[in-house]
Amino acid sequence: AQSVTQLDSHVSVSEGTPVLLRCNYSSSYSPSLFWYVQHPNKGLQLLLKYTSAATLVKGINGFEAEFKKSETSFHLTKPSAHMSDAAEYFCVVSDQKGFQKLVFGTGTRLLVSP
Amino acid sequence: NAGVTQTPKFQVLKTGQSMTLQCAQDMNHNSMYWYRQDPGMGLRLIYYSASEGTTDKGEVPNGYNVSRLNKREFSLRLESAAPSQTSVYFCASTLRGDQPQHFGDGTRLSIL
């Protein structure tokens, strides 16, 4: 069975400082991993995805994530936070072997202060 | 450029009432999904349809039914609403299993 643990429910940063959102996963097979972002009263938007092609994945809006199999981690980073990055972020795992049923983490709310 | 469209956006029901949430996608996607989102719990899969003509239960199917009306439309029905079904409901679709899912903006449902 697959599972995802987002290690922080809330992360607060100042504008212009780095962002780190942490995610650990568990999967029986080679996983697909995703980060989605949700702005208030909106649906989820894909930030980036890992599907075994490259361990460092670049996404939209300057975000990137690194797949580390030895640590079963897929942390999301951004060098410099912007006020518009304030949102909820979800780490998601999918089993590549089967039909794509996603398992979501509980989310990390990113707060960005001026 | 609509993507995934959900109707209604908001709804308030009384316990025991029934209602159908509608979802339509215009991306010619094969697979469609219904999720519910509750505070602190992420999204949980209610039902999914891998392709037109098929539907299967997800993690939390009790109290819900679905219909894959055609390739574009996938509806979610609450036959007898309960307060525990107060949630935000999201519909999603994808072309195939290795592609990301595209989400609608959600239906906010309150049951009194």
Side-chain angles (χ1 to χ4, degrees), chain A residues 23-75:
Chain A
C23 173
N24 287 347
Y25 71 91
S26 172
S27 178
S28 303
Y29 305 103
S30 297
S32 290
L33 291 158
F34 307 84
W35 276 98
Y36 282 84
V37 60
Q38 184 182 30
H39 291 278
N41 299 316
K42 289 293 186 182
L44 279 72
Q45 179 187 15
L46 180 71
L47 274 179
L48 49 81
K49 66 174 181 176
Y50 165 78
T51 54
S52 76
T55 57
L56 183 62
V57 182
K58 294 188 183 299
I60 62 171
N61 301 334
F63 284 94
E64 63 182 37
E66 186 172 9
F67 174 73
K68 292 187 176 180
K69 187 174 181 179
S70 60
E71 299 176 11
T72 61
S73 70
F74 190 58
H75 300 335

Side-chain angles (χ1 to χ4, degrees), chain B residues 40-52:
Chain B
M41 300 188 73
L43 275 71
R44 293 181 292 168
L45 182 64
I46 305 171
Y47 270 93
Y48 66 98
S49 171
S51 59
E52 187 178 358

Side-chain angles (χ1 to χ4, degrees), chain A:
Chain A
Q2 308 154 85
S3 66
V4 170
T5 302
Q6 292 185 243
L7 299 168
D8 306 291
S9 60
H10 293 82
V11 170
S12 294
V13 300
S14 298
E15 191 174 22
T17 64
V19 175
L20 170 63
L21 306 183
R22 299 183 294 165
C23 173
N24 287 347
Y25 71 91
S26 172
S27 178
S28 303
Y29 305 103
S30 297
S32 290
L33 291 158
F34 307 84
W35 276 98
Y36 282 84
V37 60
Q38 184 182 30
H39 291 278
N41 299 316
K42 289 293 186 182
L44 279 72
Q45 179 187 15
L46 180 71
L47 274 179
L48 49 81
K49 66 174 181 176
Y50 165 78
T51 54
S52 76
T55 57
L56 183 62
V57 182
K58 294 188 183 299
I60 62 171
N61 301 334
F63 284 94
E64 63 182 37
E66 186 172 9
F67 174 73
K68 292 187 176 180
K69 187 174 181 179
S70 60
E71 299 176 11
T72 61
S73 70
F74 190 58
H75 300 335
L76 182 71
T77 60
K78 183 174 180 178
S80 176
H82 192 273
M83 294 297 291
S84 61
D85 294 328
E88 186 135 24
Y89 292 79
F90 292 95
C91 183
V92 183
V93 65
S94 171
D95 181 354
Q96 284 196 44
K97 275 190 170 282
F99 175 74
Q100 194 198 63
K101 287 199 288 186
L102 303 182
V103 175
F104 286 77
T106 52
T108 298
R109 184 163 297 279
L110 177 64
L111 306 169
V112 183
S113 56

Side-chain angles (χ1 to χ4, degrees), chain B residues 12-85:
Chain B
V12 179
L13 294 177
K14 294 181 179 178
T15 298
Q17 287 185 317
S18 62
M19 107 159 267
T20 299
L21 308 185
Q22 307 286 354
C23 174
Q25 52 89 10
D26 61 2
M27 297 171 283
N28 201 34
H29 284 173
N30 294 312
S31 305
M32 298 184 74
Y33 309 75
W34 276 106
Y35 296 90
R36 61 178 289 173
Q37 183 179 29
D38 301 294
M41 300 188 73
L43 275 71
R44 293 181 292 168
L45 182 64
I46 305 171
Y47 270 93
Y48 66 98
S49 171
S51 59
E52 187 178 358
T54 69
T55 61
D56 284 289
K57 294 178 180 179
E59 181 185 355
V60 288
N62 291 344
Y64 305 95
N65 286 300
V66 291
S67 296
R68 184 74 182 265
L69 304 170
N70 48 55
K71 192 171 185 179
R72 290 187 62 248
E73 298 172 290
F74 188 39
S75 63
L76 178 72
R77 183 161 178 85
L78 287 70
E79 289 291 351
S80 178
S84 60
Q85 294 177 304

